[in-house]
Amino acid sequence: MDRETITSQALALFQERGYESVTVQDICDACGITKPTFYRYVPSKESIVVAVYDDITMQLSQRLLRVAGSGNHWEQLVICFDTLYQESSRLGPGIFSQAIIANLQEDRHTFDLRPYLTEVMVGIIRRAQESGQVCNPSPAERLYDAASHMFSGYELIWCIRDGKTNWRDDLLASLEAMFMVPDQWRVRT
């Protein structure tokens, strides 16, 4: 047994039944483990949803490294935010709502920018600015910070509306406006 297996089973149960309807015992039963084994790998049910962003950003960093050589830096940025969108959609608004609730009760730093991802994204933004794919002259760090918070805002609205909004196109249009992307570099959806 390992943390990844427990997390995977728990997320599947949360998606199927809803976070509040799933107990630690339900997760243990699905994994074929006891509660002491569960707690050896995972501190709490809540910690599973709080850690979701870390897992997503690690996957994203690996995906970005595969396309880092591409000359279309704006497309690399879109891939980043689109991957975050796809992973959020796959897991569902219930899981992210719980992460938001947990952080409202106590800042668990779920929504903090991850240094390793920030470094990669700021580098891509700088290259996009240098190549004329992004015309906003603001510092790349500031642009990434604003774009990340914009993403969180759209995700929050999606959670509030219980997933009854398609926020991908609105997010991409807002990013294009904020970064001031010339028409020839825009990614068509």
Side-chain angles (χ1 to χ4, degrees):
M1 188 53 48
D2 58 26
R3 177 190 172 280
E4 291 78 26
T5 302
I6 295 169
T7 297
S8 176
Q9 288 290 330
L11 291 174
L13 289 171
F14 298 159
Q15 287 174 302
E16 178 186 325
R17 297 192 225 163
Y19 177 84
E20 293 296 331
S21 299
V22 176
T23 65
V24 170
Q25 187 61 54
D26 293 332
I27 298 167
C28 292
D29 292 345
C31 294
I33 60 174
T34 63
K35 281 186 180 181
T37 301
F38 173 89
Y39 288 115
R40 184 178 317 133
Y41 293 100
V42 182
S44 67
K45 180 175 99 166
E46 184 179 78
S47 71
I48 294 169
V49 295
V50 169
V52 166
Y53 265 119
D54 282 331
D55 295 339
I56 290 172
T57 57
M58 284 303 290
Q59 293 170 19
L60 175 59
S61 295
Q62 293 167 356
R63 186 173 179 195
L64 278 174
L65 289 174
R66 288 193 295 268
V67 297
S70 165
N72 190 333
H73 308 296
W74 176 248
E75 184 176 29
Q76 293 170 13
L77 291 172
V78 169
I79 286 170
C80 172
F81 288 103
D82 198 43
T83 299
L84 291 170
Y85 166 81
Q86 289 172 16
E87 286 300 306
S88 295
S89 296
R90 181 182 66 79
L91 292 170
I95 290 172
F96 286 96
S97 294
Q98 289 303 315
I100 291 166
I101 291 166
N103 280 272
L104 287 172
Q105 293 169 343
E106 175 187 340
D107 186 1
R108 310 215 181 197
H109 305 285
T110 302
F111 301 99
D112 291 356
L113 299 180
R114 304 307 192 264
Y116 51 88
L117 183 58
T118 298
E119 184 178 333
V120 171
M121 293 300 292
V122 167
I124 293 170
I125 292 168
R126 282 191 184 123
R127 288 189 294 280
Q129 288 172 316
E130 291 165 2
S131 66
Q133 295 171 20
V134 165
C135 295
N136 188 326
S138 298
E141 296 84 1
R142 175 76 64 197
L143 288 172
Y144 178 61
D145 187 55
S148 296
H149 292 299
M150 181 186 299
F151 179 89
S152 295
Y154 276 106
E155 188 174 50
L156 174 65
I157 297 299
W158 172 68
C159 288
I160 290 169
R161 294 182 181 156
D162 196 28
K164 294 175 179 67
T165 180
N166 181 359
W167 52 287
R168 180 185 181 270
D169 293 340
D170 291 339
L171 171 67
L172 292 179
S174 295
L175 289 170
E176 286 176 343
M178 184 185 74
F179 280 98
M180 300 168 55
V181 178
D183 285 341
Q184 71 265 29
W185 293 107
R186 292 183 183 213
V187 176
R188 305 298 173 218
T189 56

